[in-house]
Amino acid sequence: MDPNKTYFDPAAAAKPAPQLTREELRMMTPEQVVAADEALQFAVLKSQGRDPIEAERRGERWATP
């Protein structure tokens, strides 16, 4: 497994941000995209290249590093 493609931020491990999907991204304004990116809501899309699963969308974390 490529360590650069993992969704793990030690500082946010206790409560990761709810993740957004590609469809939600398409409906957002540029300002909303910047705000969501700063809130780490695209971590799964950016690191995994896939839409988040339902648990990730709710801001839950099932896996450990």
Side-chain angles (χ1 to χ4, degrees), residues 25 28-38 42:
L25 173 60
M28 297 170 79
T29 67
E31 294 80 15
Q32 290 172 321
V33 171
V34 170
D37 191 37
E38 289 173 350
F42 295 122

Side-chain angles (χ1 to χ4, degrees), residues 1 3 13 16 37 40 46 51 60:
M1 179 178 211
D37 191 37
L40 303 177
K46 290 170 87 174
D51 276 339
E60 297 173 5

Side-chain angles (χ1 to χ4, degrees), residues 5 12-13 17-19 22 24 30-35 37 39 43-47 49-52 57-58 62 64:
K5 297 227 174 212
Q19 298 295 292
R22 283 184 175 91
E24 291 168 316
E31 294 80 15
Q32 290 172 321
V33 171
V34 170
D37 191 37
V44 171
L45 275 176
K46 290 170 87 174
S47 67
R50 62 167 172 79
D51 276 339
R57 292 197 64 208
R58 292 188 300 266
W62 290 355
T64 58

Side-chain angles (χ1 to χ4, degrees), residues 6-17 19 38-40 43 47 61 63-65:
T6 60
Y7 169 46
F8 179 71
D9 177 358
K15 180 67 175 145
Q19 298 295 292
E38 289 173 350
L40 303 177
S47 67
R61 181 160 179 82
T64 58

